[in-house]
Amino acid sequence: DLKDLKDVLDREVVQPLDHRFLNYEVPPFDRVIPTAENMARDIWRRLEPHLSSHGRKLALVRLYETPDLYVDYLGE
């Protein structure tokens, strides 16, 4: 259900990360440099428990820095 997906994304990614000074306000980025690679890994960690159940599996997290520069994270 797309509404459920939107709710999970908002709760687990947007609310904690959007308009925040990541280096000071958001763990683990108070200890880890918030590169695109590290952020994609953290977003995976936040989403995977909510999306991998009932026969579903999170396939990848793609994080765009610019329209033509992005990182893919495929899980651990």
Side-chain angles (χ1 to χ4, degrees):
D1 183 339
L2 289 178
K3 184 191 180 322
D4 293 341
L5 176 59
K6 185 178 185 302
D7 291 345
V8 169
L9 288 170
D10 186 58
R11 182 180 66 245
E12 297 298 327
V13 179
V14 175
Q15 289 180 17
L17 300 177
D18 193 33
H19 293 93
R20 303 277 189 254
F21 191 168
L22 298 176
N23 296 76
Y24 294 107
E25 297 179 51
V26 182
F29 303 117
D30 54 347
R31 300 177 316 278
V32 176
I33 297 171
T35 63
E37 295 83 1
N38 287 338
M39 290 186 66
R41 183 180 302 116
D42 184 64
I43 291 169
W44 176 283
R45 182 190 60 78
R46 292 168 184 266
L47 294 178
E48 197 272 335
H50 301 283
L51 300 179
S52 294
S53 63
H54 308 294
R56 300 174 301 198
K57 186 172 190 299
L58 182 59
L60 72 97
V61 168
R62 176 170 284 176
L63 179 65
Y64 282 87
E65 288 193 61
T66 66
D68 61 344
L69 179 63
Y70 63 88
V71 61
D72 285 339
Y73 185 73
L74 303 172
E76 299 167 354

